[in-house]
Amino acid sequence: FGQTSLTFIAQVDMYEVVEQFDTRVGDSPGRGLISAVTTGLHSALSGTMRKSMRKSTLSKLNIPAGKQKKVLGGKADDAFCKIVGQFYVRFQKEGVIDARNRADFKENRIPNAPPLTEGEQKMIAKLMGEVEKLEAKRIAGTVNDSVEKYFTHSAEGGGAGWGMTVAKMDISAADLFTELYLLDTYAKRAESKDKIREVFESLDGTRGQQISKTVSVPGFQDRLFESWMTWVDRVKADGHRKFIIAIAPLGEFAGTHHEVLGTEKTTKATFRGVHIVEEFTDSTCEWTWVQQVDLKIS
């Protein structure tokens, strides 16, 4: 989607000018040299040459050796990081990459997705069966809300509660489904406040993915949720599309479980959920979100 890996290896020898040398006058060698510096470094180097520079730069400016002092350690490291950082800033196109990723998902990955495995079909059927049996009650005080909210308990779920929300959305079903399922985007990573959040797509060549994330629980050890997600796209009798995203504990996936570093001091918790996105028109849909969380707090 336009991404490139850049490996930059260099040795940076930094020197500091002991006295000020004005490079703003006339056609001094320094004027043209400074103008060529990356935009982000220009403001730091223009004016006087009190900032750190390479030895070759100092010689071009005709600064006597006696006026130079070599800089070791942190300053050189800082300068190197600034130079590399400017490459990132100059070519930073995270929003463009995310947009291309979403377009590719809708245009290529959805229609060409691998067939559902037997395990995926069973997982989706099991969760949809749970949803259909729920007798959720509307949460008091939400009758007039634009988003319908419900809650109930399920004996089969170990007594853990099920929450459900239903909303009409002014977005196409395919766009909303894409937004819900694509978790490994720059925008999602920037929004996340989780200490650990890792996404592994195409588990064992399937359409499923693994997400491992930690959640802080006040007064308790951080909870680790490791989930298995998959999806199905169906066409209803009226010709409208219906997308289902099913989420179950990773332990129910009979395949590769990716290990995530830094989870040793967490307590494992479980999460189940279903996103149901039903198309109304080309630009509207209904979104139903059902979820059950067990924080393992006894």
Side-chain angles (χ1 to χ4, degrees):
F1 310 118
Q3 295 163 293
T4 301
S5 175
L6 170 65
T7 302
F8 184 26
I9 302 174
Q11 177 178 325
V12 182
D13 292 326
M14 303 302 296
Y15 291 80
E16 185 176 49
V17 179
V18 178
E19 296 181 1
Q20 295 185 9
F21 289 83
D22 196 341
T23 64
R24 294 173 294 183
V25 182
D27 296 323
S28 66
R31 187 176 183 83
L33 184 63
I34 294 169
S35 299
V37 175
T38 307
T39 303
L41 297 178
H42 182 273
S43 60
L45 296 179
S46 61
T48 60
M49 301 311 296
R50 185 177 290 278
K51 300 295 181 181
S52 298
M53 296 181 299
R54 291 179 60 90
K55 184 176 181 180
S56 59
T57 300
L58 298 175
S59 62
K60 288 182 180 180
L61 294 175
N62 298 318
I63 298 175
K67 302 299 183 182
Q68 303 170 12
K69 180 176 66 176
K70 191 167 185 178
V71 179
L72 302 175
K75 288 187 178 180
D77 294 339
D78 291 344
F80 182 78
C81 290
K82 287 180 180 179
I83 293 171
V84 175
Q86 289 308 309
F87 281 104
Y88 179 79
V89 172
R90 171 62 180 81
F91 298 104
Q92 185 179 14
K93 301 291 182 183
E94 295 177 349
V96 174
I97 299 300
D98 282 352
R100 291 174 180 171
N101 193 4
R102 287 191 291 268
D104 177 72
F105 186 79
K106 289 189 296 182
E107 297 168 9
N108 299 310
R109 292 170 62 185
I110 292 177
N112 299 305
L116 286 169
T117 65
E118 182 179 354
E120 288 176 318
Q121 294 179 43
K122 288 181 177 180
M123 191 261 273
I124 293 173
K126 179 180 178 180
L127 282 170
M128 288 300 293
E130 282 284 320
V131 171
E132 291 170 1
K133 289 187 296 183
L134 288 179
E135 297 181 357
K137 295 182 180 180
R138 188 103 183 219
I139 297 177
T142 65
V143 175
N144 296 321
D145 290 356
S146 58
V147 177
E148 301 175 24
K149 301 175 183 177
Y150 303 85
F151 185 80
T152 188
H153 282 85
S154 170
E156 293 183 20
W162 284 89
M164 181 170 69
T165 58
V166 181
K168 305 293 191 299
M169 309 292 289
D170 291 328
I171 184 175
S172 74
D175 283 342
L176 179 57
F177 164 64
T178 299
E179 192 65 30
L180 293 171
Y181 195 76
L182 276 186
L183 302 179
D184 194 21
T185 62
Y186 285 105
K188 293 284 178 66
R189 289 196 292 271
E191 292 170 2
S192 175
K193 300 186 185 309
D194 303 320
K195 296 178 182 177
I196 296 174
R197 184 183 182 277
E198 297 289 345
V199 178
F200 304 91
E201 298 181 339
S202 303
L203 287 176
D204 294 344
T206 69
R207 63 175 68 182
Q209 64 183 356
Q210 170 186 336
I211 177 168
S212 299
K213 58 184 293 186
T214 54
V215 174
S216 295
V217 181
F220 295 90
Q221 199 172 46
D222 287 353
R223 265 37 185 180
L224 171 65
F225 292 90
E226 293 189 296
S227 301
W228 165 38
M229 302 175 61
T230 193
W231 61 272
V232 63
D233 175 13
R234 295 173 178 168
V235 179
K236 301 188 294 183
D238 60 7
H240 289 149
R241 300 174 77 178
K242 178 178 181 179
F243 296 95
I244 299 172
I245 300 174
I247 309 168
L250 182 63
E252 296 183 12
F253 176 63
T256 300
H257 296 181
H258 294 278
E259 294 186 11
V260 178
L261 298 177
T263 62
E264 299 80 9
K265 296 183 180 181
T266 62
T267 298
K268 287 191 175 183
T270 58
F271 177 87
R272 300 176 189 275
V274 180
H275 293 283
I276 304 171
V277 181
E278 299 190 68
E279 184 179 55
F280 283 159
T281 68
D282 290 342
S283 58
T284 61
C285 64
E286 180 179 78
W287 171 40
T288 302
W289 172 220
V290 184
Q291 57 182 317
Q292 182 193 64
V293 180
D294 187 350
L295 294 175
K296 304 299 182 183
I297 297 176
S298 55

